[in-house]
Amino acid sequence: GIQVEQSPPDLILQEGANSTLRCNFSDSVNNLQWFHQNPWGQLINLFYIPSGTKQNGRLSATTVATERYSLLYISSSQTTDSGVYFCAANYKLSFGAGTTVTVRA
Amino acid sequence: EAGVAQSPRYKIIEKRQSVAFWCNPISGHATLYWYQQILGQGPKLLIQFQNNGVVDDSQLPKDRFSAERLKGVDSTLKIQPAKLEDSAVYLCASSLIPRGDYGYTFGSGTRLTVV
């Protein structure tokens, strides 16, 4: 099956900082999603982004399908952005191992 | 709109015992998924239902795990007998149809500890 790799594994930010999370996938995809898992374990769907760029508030995502990677941008980070960010490929959602983001006040 | 409901929230059992988890998806969502999330890892698909039929159970350890979705609504996942390595969070998710642009809604999960 498809392999999904995320980097970096951990990220510590000062409140207000910007950051970029990366997701590489081993094969072409028909679906690419970004999720946020909050410290209580709830997974929230952030973006459906098999290609192109989308923005939602301080978050934006870009997928370059031909080069098999996707990026998630967090701007002006807040403590509520803390948690684990996952990308997942294809309709059955093959997840990467996640990037743990900690935003310090 | 009510979310995906799961119960129990937590469960501790001894190895070789059996356990069952319940999931009620969002009303009208035909597709239901069960995932296993081991600490420090991303969720892994165990089984996908479309209405009350199984679409994919290739990663379900069928010697000990079983799942059903009667009447195409709520679903139960059972483990019998449990092993130590089954300790994980079991997440249920649903979608209107299995297409990414329709989104996925996850429940809060059941945290299973096998001792």
Side-chain angles (χ1 to χ4, degrees):
Chain A
I2 192 167
Q3 303 300 311
V4 179
E5 295 183 353
Q6 293 187 242
S7 61
D10 300 281
L11 196 57
I12 298 176
L13 303 171
Q14 202 63 34
E15 200 168 30
N18 303 327
S19 63
T20 301
L21 284 58
R22 187 177 178 103
C23 171
N24 293 329
F25 37 94
S26 61
D27 204 347
S28 57
V29 297
N30 51 26
N31 176 33
L32 196 289
Q33 306 270 347
W34 282 97
F35 291 87
H36 174 228
Q37 189 167 44
N38 66 24
W40 297 271
Q42 183 69 47
L43 265 170
I44 303 296
N45 209 171
L46 297 175
F47 291 104
Y48 161 70
I49 184 115
S51 63
T53 297
K54 287 186 178 178
Q55 181 158 4
N56 184 1
R58 296 180 296 101
L59 300 180
S60 63
T62 295
T63 297
V64 183
T66 54
E67 297 188 24
R68 299 181 183 171
Y69 74 88
S70 183
L71 302 174
L72 178 71
Y73 306 96
I74 306 174
S75 65
S76 304
S77 58
Q78 300 178 358
T79 56
T80 52
D81 295 330
S82 295
V84 185
Y85 290 81
F86 291 102
C87 65
N90 292 333
Y91 296 137
K92 295 173 184 177
L93 300 180
S94 296
F95 282 83
T99 293
T100 300
V101 173
T102 303
V103 182
R104 293 178 172 166
Chain B
E1 177 181 74
V4 174
Q6 289 190 246
S7 66
R9 190 76 176 91
Y10 304 93
K11 191 74 176 178
I12 300 174
I13 62 172
E14 295 182 349
K15 59 184 179 183
R16 292 187 290 273
Q17 286 187 324
S18 63
V19 64
F21 313 128
W22 175 80
C23 172
N24 190 23
I26 290 176
S27 178
H29 279 197
T31 310
L32 185 148
Y33 311 82
W34 282 102
Y35 291 86
Q36 179 193 57
Q37 186 175 19
I38 293 171
L39 187 64
Q41 299 181 16
K44 183 186 80 171
L45 179 69
L46 292 175
I47 190 167
Q48 176 189 352
F49 291 95
Q50 184 67 24
N51 295 309
N52 60 349
V54 175
V55 174
D56 184 351
D57 63 356
S58 58
Q59 298 192 87
L60 187 74
K62 299 180 187 64
D63 58 334
R64 299 183 301 105
F65 286 64
S66 63
E68 61 181 8
R69 190 183 184 196
L70 299 176
K71 301 180 182 179
V73 182
D74 55 353
S75 176
T76 56
L77 176 70
K78 297 179 182 178
I79 308 175
Q80 182 179 12
K83 293 185 175 181
L84 296 176
E85 59 259 37
D86 298 331
S87 294
V89 176
Y90 291 84
L91 295 164
C92 179
S94 70
S95 61
L96 186 61
I97 59 174
R99 256 178 55 181
D101 50 344
Y102 279 76
Y104 301 80
T105 304
F106 279 79
S108 300
T110 295
R111 183 177 297 276
L112 174 66
T113 302
V114 183
V115 298

